[in-house]
Amino acid sequence: MNAPQTFAPPLLERLPASDAPWTMSYDLWPQADAQRWRAVMAQSATGRLALLADRPLEPLLRLRIESRLKKSVLWWPCEAAELDALLDAGEAQYRALGALGDAFSGADQADNAQELSALNLAEQASPVVRLLDATLYDALQDGASDIHFESQARGIKIRCRIDGVMLDIKAVDGQQAAEQLVSRLKVMAELDIGERRLPQDGRFKLRVQGREVDFRLSVMPSVFGEDAVVRVLDRAQVEAKGSLTLDALGFEPEARAQIRALARQPHGMLLVTGPTGSGKTTTLYAAISEVNTGRDKIITIEDPVEYQLPGVVQIPVNEKKGLTFARGLRSVLRHDPDRVMVGEIRDAETAQIAVQAALTGHLVFSTVHANNAFDVVGRFMHMGLDLYNVVSALNGVLAQRLMRISCRECLVMSPATADQLRAHGLPDGAALRQGSGCAHCRGTGYKGRRAVSELLWLDDDLRDLIAGRAPLARLKEEARKRGMRSLRDAAVAVVLRGESTLEELERVTLAD
């Protein structure tokens, strides 16, 4: 059954008569949003929109609404009691009609996944539960990768990481509300709600539009209570956008060609390095997807399986049951694979097995945490591996970052002095551009991200230099002679094309 279209409380008589009649609309502004923001939408006969709220309209909320509806919205103040009556009326109509309402109505529920829909949000008796579900709703709508619940002296602050940058979403007053929010997350992830002194990790699922979305939860004790961080793993969103290709990730043509060539090697190891959230796993997925012709046996072992790849055997790590990366990798090598992906090399045992696999005829893909392509070799040495075996196994190391792109809807020229340009390694007279901030980009001036990278392709001469423990400066010099471009140079090229800003250049890269 469709969501209720309109109803007309007396409050609407106070709206501008020139646009009358006014009606309440939960099609344009779903009940979930009305509850989340304590604001109800009205629409006039002329198509004008008004948002009824008991407080001034927050800039973030206005940007969000106008970006979605592509038209301006009038804020109309009302009393708190009047707003409560509107919200109650909206809930009553949803319950009476059994409406599923907004875009989060889904198909049949899975046994292990709660349904996240407007109906569920409206029927929640607890304001805390309603707030949490609506926060997850907003995070999915905005494409957030992480949701942070940070306990403070007076309550809890909710922030989201969007395009790699933290944005404030809401502050909730009251220590009790803060505790209830974290406890609710623990219940969803089946954690111990009585344990508040030790860190805990878990995961849960929600069903959205007939698909399951995974969430990873980390809870950490802090001075004012407990902090929680929820990582959003929306596989279908990435797959629907066709993002599992190297072209879609934004790599330069030369880098794409080199990555593809390394992914087609008969044996050896391709490593991707970078900080958390830099897109390492997504890059490996894209590389595997492009070489997955069906002629090779491809197996992955991951924690967790983030995207489902057709024709690829994917194994989730389960440390509680004893299935670690090292143990799983040993088993995988007995499963007759041609290509193996290890989600992350975290310890010496996993690294040793991966190197041996690469030396015995398998092509191994993996990620490792390091600052740049050259630091990876040092990381393996600190794990106690034989340096000669490491460089013999390595085909290449890709270091990458994700750089925010200036919003195309509000792009303007960005003047910079000659001293500023020279300080950032840019030529005099370079024409720079940046986003001025609009509804499309939530006022940030940025919309979306792209990958910038440096790729160290090892040949015999470089292997000899590394095995001989040549100085880092010598290695960089030899790599540049072979055409390697540093992360900094790649980011500078993006800025010179007007796609990003000096601010982003400094945020994601270090000066050479």
Side-chain angles (χ1 to χ4, degrees):
M1 185 178 296
N2 293 330
Q5 297 296 317
T6 60
F7 65 97
L11 176 62
L12 299 187
E13 298 176 1
R14 300 208 299 267
L15 289 171
S18 59
D19 297 293
W22 289 83
T23 54
M24 308 307 301
S25 176
Y26 281 92
D27 283 347
L28 295 175
W29 185 243
Q31 176 71 4
D33 284 333
Q35 293 287 350
R36 167 70 173 84
W37 295 98
R38 280 189 59 81
V40 182
M41 182 75 72
Q43 185 174 19
S44 73
T46 61
R48 194 176 184 189
L49 300 178
L51 206 65
L52 291 82
D54 58 355
R55 66 192 187 285
L57 196 59
E58 299 175 10
L60 177 61
L61 178 58
R62 182 186 294 275
L63 288 171
R64 187 175 187 276
I65 299 169
E66 293 179 348
S67 175
R68 179 194 295 179
L69 302 180
K70 300 188 183 303
K71 60 169 58 178
S72 61
V73 176
L74 169 70
W75 170 63
W76 197 262
C78 63
E79 298 295 330
E82 293 175 318
L83 182 61
D84 290 337
L86 291 181
L87 293 173
D88 291 342
E91 291 185 16
Q93 287 213 355
Y94 268 80
R95 287 194 295 268
L97 296 178
L100 293 182
D102 63 20
F104 274 83
S105 58
D108 296 335
Q109 288 195 21
D111 293 338
N112 61 344
Q114 173 191 341
E115 183 78 31
L116 184 62
S117 68
L119 176 61
N120 287 344
L121 292 175
E123 290 187 337
Q124 292 292 350
S126 168
V128 169
V129 173
R130 195 158 54 215
L131 171 63
L132 177 58
D133 287 352
T135 300
L136 297 176
Y137 165 98
D138 284 338
L140 287 165
Q141 287 287 87
D142 291 336
S145 61
D146 300 88
I147 312 163
H148 292 241
F149 299 84
E150 301 173 350
S151 293
Q152 298 180 331
R154 297 184 178 180
I156 195 167
K157 177 186 285 188
I158 302 174
R159 303 201 292 166
C160 286
R161 188 179 296 278
I162 301 175
D163 287 341
V165 177
M166 299 294 294
L167 296 178
D168 291 345
I169 300 300
K170 189 176 183 63
V172 181
D173 292 333
Q175 199 64 37
Q176 183 177 5
E179 293 176 359
Q180 290 175 350
L181 272 171
V182 177
S183 294
R184 171 63 177 169
L185 283 168
K186 287 183 176 180
V187 169
M188 295 171 70
E190 300 181 354
L191 300 180
D192 183 1
I193 63 173
E195 179 56 72
R196 299 183 179 182
R197 298 167 297 177
L198 297 174
Q200 295 188 69
D201 297 301
R203 62 189 61 185
F204 59 92
K205 295 181 180 180
L206 295 175
R207 180 166 287 275
V208 181
Q209 289 183 313
R211 72 181 192 273
E212 287 185 356
V213 178
D214 294 320
F215 298 85
R216 282 191 293 177
L217 173 65
S218 172
V219 181
M220 188 78 64
S222 69
V223 174
F224 298 111
E226 288 181 294
D227 284 9
V229 177
V230 178
R231 166 64 61 89
V232 182
L233 299 173
D234 191 358
R235 296 187 295 262
Q237 183 181 31
V238 175
E239 293 163 359
K241 293 179 180 179
S243 297
L244 289 181
T245 65
L246 294 173
D247 292 324
L249 297 181
F251 287 105
E252 299 287 351
E254 183 179 356
R256 288 200 303 268
Q258 290 179 325
I259 295 170
R260 287 178 175 130
L262 288 171
R264 291 187 174 94
Q265 296 295 308
H267 54 77
M269 181 184 294
L270 170 60
L271 296 178
V272 182
T273 184
T276 301
S278 59
K280 301 185 296 295
T281 303
T282 304
T283 296
L284 288 183
Y285 272 126
I288 290 174
S289 296
E290 293 193 2
V291 300
N292 183 17
T293 62
R295 293 193 296 267
D296 294 320
K297 178 79 169 186
I298 303 176
I299 305 178
T300 74
I301 179 165
E302 309 167 56
D303 183 24
V305 174
E306 296 188 14
Y307 313 130
Q308 294 175 354
L309 302 176
V312 176
V313 178
Q314 295 176 270
I315 304 169
V317 164
N318 189 339
E319 294 189 356
K320 293 182 179 178
K321 300 294 184 180
L323 180 56
T324 61
F325 276 116
R327 183 174 179 180
L329 184 54
R330 283 199 185 94
S331 299
V332 162
L333 295 178
R334 295 193 290 268
H335 215 63
D336 190 28
D338 296 292
R339 290 177 168 86
V340 178
M341 173 183 153
V342 184
E344 182 182 348
I345 294 179
R346 299 174 178 171
D347 53 67
E349 186 179 9
T350 306
Q352 183 66 51
I353 300 170
V355 168
Q356 291 301 318
L359 292 173
T360 54
H362 304 88
L363 183 61
V364 179
F365 302 86
S366 190
T367 71
V368 63
H369 285 288
N371 290 326
N372 55 57
F374 296 96
D375 288 347
V376 169
V377 176
R379 185 75 189 276
F380 278 99
M381 290 175 61
H382 285 298
M383 291 181 183
L385 273 67
D386 181 75
L387 182 58
Y388 182 81
N389 285 341
V390 171
V391 296
S392 298
L394 269 181
N395 292 337
V397 181
L398 175 73
Q400 72 175 56
R401 302 289 188 273
L402 293 180
M403 194 172 184
R404 288 189 295 172
I405 299 302
S406 297
C407 176
R408 294 295 172 185
E409 300 295 325
C410 58
L411 201 61
V412 296
M413 296 303 296
S414 175
T417 66
D419 288 341
Q420 287 177 316
L421 294 174
R422 285 193 291 269
H424 291 86
L426 276 65
D428 293 344
L432 307 182
R433 293 185 291 177
Q434 67 180 27
S436 60
C438 65
H440 184 66
C441 61
R442 301 179 302 275
T444 64
Y446 299 96
K447 185 67 175 179
R449 292 186 291 177
R450 59 161 296 157
V452 292
S453 65
E454 65 180 16
L455 180 60
L456 175 63
W457 187 309
L458 275 73
D459 58 17
D460 289 341
D461 290 337
L462 280 176
R463 288 190 177 95
D464 289 341
L465 288 173
I466 296 173
R469 301 178 185 272
L472 180 59
R474 174 81 186 283
L475 293 177
K476 289 184 176 181
E477 180 184 354
E478 292 297 327
R480 286 195 177 97
K481 288 180 181 178
R482 289 160 173 77
M484 177 180 174
R485 185 166 65 166
S486 69
L487 274 170
R488 183 75 172 191
D489 291 341
V492 165
V494 174
V495 173
L496 288 175
R497 289 198 299 268
E499 298 177 11
S500 194
T501 64
L502 293 178
E503 175 190 17
E504 276 298 283
L505 174 67
E506 293 301 322
R507 188 180 71 86
V508 302
T509 65
L510 296 174
D512 290 337

